[in-house]
Amino acid sequence: MSPNYILVVICILLSTCSFYETNAQLSANFYSTTCPNVSSIVQNVIQQALQSDARIGASLIRLHFHDCFVNGCDASLLLDNNATTNIVSEKDAAPNTNSTRGFDVVDNIKTALESSCPGVVSCADILALAAESSVSLAGGPSWNVLLGRRDSRTANQAGANTSIPSPTEGLTNITAKFTAVGLNLTDLVALSGAHTFGRAQCRVFSARLYNFNGTGNPDPSLNTTYLSNLRQICPQNGSATALANLDPTTSDGFDNNYFANLQNNQGLLQSDQELFSSATTLSIVNTFSSNQNTFFQSFVQSMINMGNISPLTGTNGEIHLDCKRIN
């Protein structure tokens, strides 16, 4: 019996392996000789940023997510508009404009890495490393990030408009967007658990508070006390950009409270609460709520799975010297 066959059997039994052709090309040791301190450099910059911005970790993991769902994890999200190089920025796509943030911290990480290991570490790998550091610094799990991605020379604003899951979409549509990039329902629920920290603007969920699906009434699935609290943060005709915590219990910590919130009808976004109203995902929510270690293990595997979406490797793409523009 071949070793490969045994590996396949083990993976099937454990349901933990992801057979992406890219897995063999990415490696946790990719920079072991060319930039051995890459992880600590990234973490140090994020620790510094956290001193003045408690939500920067959540913002950074969101950049990785929004990058990977459009043409794969290739740092195309970071490119600015540039008429000379025909870049139409993904930053201006509907899911990102006036919403994604943390680009300055990415630039600070890149500057620090260029000082230590010039021309070596890709911006796509910076996003993957920043996501891991952000989770671990907030009390969540740590993992060995697979590395070796290269950076895109193009952006895809149209793709960003259609491929990134929306907080106001139904579960069926969101599931289809995950399936399109090779992710399953467990990945969807586990990665949604990143909403255990961070904030959301009132404009993203205010319809749930006052006029859900055009009914003139609030979303009936909202806990009434939670609804009252949210209405204080987001009054009708108030600021559309006022912020509410995605997790009202431990707003800056990475834990499994997000799933207990869903059980108590305290999911902030429609896309959050729907995970507890569908039979296909409810059991996963209950499992993660009852066992934080199980959630952490699944979250790590799903982050690795997401980080494996269509990376540029080998001689494809380039290593951007400035994450905002192609070389």
Side-chain angles (χ1 to χ4, degrees):
M1 188 178 294
S2 75
N4 286 342
Y5 178 81
I6 294 170
L7 176 62
V8 169
V9 171
I10 291 171
C11 288
I12 290 171
L13 289 173
L14 296 179
S15 299
T16 57
C17 296
S18 302
F19 293 103
Y20 290 89
E21 62 179 358
T22 55
N23 272 8
Q25 297 170 13
L26 299 181
S27 164
N29 302 315
F30 189 81
Y31 298 113
S32 60
T33 57
T34 54
C35 195
N37 297 323
V38 58
S39 295
S40 60
I41 292 170
V42 171
Q43 182 159 309
N44 288 341
V45 174
I46 296 174
Q47 279 180 307
Q48 186 65 37
L50 282 166
Q51 302 304 311
S52 57
D53 184 358
R55 65 185 179 118
I56 191 60
S59 299
L60 290 170
I61 196 172
R62 188 164 179 253
L63 291 182
H64 185 40
F65 176 66
H66 282 213
D67 179 45
C68 290
F69 266 69
V70 183
N71 291 12
C73 310
D74 62 359
S76 57
L77 170 60
L78 304 178
L79 294 171
D80 283 345
N81 287 310
N82 191 312
T84 305
T85 55
N86 296 315
I87 300 295
V88 181
S89 180
E90 293 172 22
K91 294 178 183 179
D92 295 329
N96 297 326
T97 187
N98 300 317
S99 176
T100 46
R101 60 193 297 276
F103 298 108
D104 54 335
V105 177
V106 174
D107 289 339
N108 290 343
I109 293 170
K110 182 62 172 172
T111 298
L113 287 170
E114 287 301 306
S115 175
S116 183
C117 326
V120 171
V121 181
S122 69
C123 299
D125 279 346
I126 287 173
L127 291 180
L129 287 162
E132 190 278 337
S133 285
S134 296
V135 170
S136 62
L137 287 169
S142 299
W143 64 95
N144 291 322
V145 180
L146 299 182
L147 301 165
R149 302 166 190 81
R150 288 166 66 85
D151 299 325
S152 176
R153 293 180 53 81
T154 61
N156 184 1
Q157 187 183 107
N161 277 318
T162 57
S163 300
I164 297 171
S166 162
T168 58
E169 272 186 303
L171 183 60
T172 301
N173 282 4
I174 293 175
T175 301
K177 290 182 176 182
F178 272 73
T179 301
V181 293
L183 300 178
N184 63 25
L185 274 178
T186 300
D187 296 318
L188 192 165
V189 179
L191 293 172
S192 295
H195 287 172
T196 183
F197 65 170
R199 319 279 186 265
Q201 298 178 28
C202 290
R203 65 185 175 90
V204 177
F205 59 87
S206 58
R208 296 188 70 208
L209 312 183
Y210 301 102
N211 187 23
F212 183 62
N213 288 346
T215 61
N217 296 304
D219 184 341
S221 71
L222 267 171
N223 175 293
T224 53
T225 303
Y226 187 47
L227 170 63
S228 177
N229 292 340
L230 291 176
R231 282 178 161 178
Q232 291 180 17
I233 298 168
C234 306
Q236 267 188 305
N237 304 316
S239 170
T241 57
L243 297 171
N245 293 324
L246 284 161
D247 177 354
T249 52
T250 52
S251 57
D252 296 322
F254 198 98
D255 51 35
N256 68 333
N257 284 357
Y258 166 84
F259 299 103
N261 297 337
L262 300 187
Q263 293 172 321
N264 295 324
N265 292 318
Q266 291 182 319
L268 182 64
L269 308 178
Q270 177 185 338
S271 56
D272 291 327
Q273 195 57 53
E274 281 209 12
L275 298 178
F276 195 64
S277 60
S278 167
T280 57
T281 51
L282 185 147
S283 62
I284 308 173
V285 170
N286 288 338
T287 297
F288 290 165
S289 176
S290 64
N291 192 319
Q292 181 165 278
N293 285 336
T294 299
F295 163 52
F296 280 4
Q297 290 169 8
S298 291
F299 182 80
V300 166
Q301 185 59 49
S302 293
M303 284 296 292
I304 293 169
N305 294 345
M306 185 179 77
N308 282 333
I309 299 172
S310 305
L312 298 170
T313 57
T315 57
N316 294 316
E318 63 185 24
I319 307 298
H320 291 335
L321 302 178
D322 178 340
C323 294
K324 298 184 295 297
R325 59 182 61 90
I326 64 175
N327 296 344

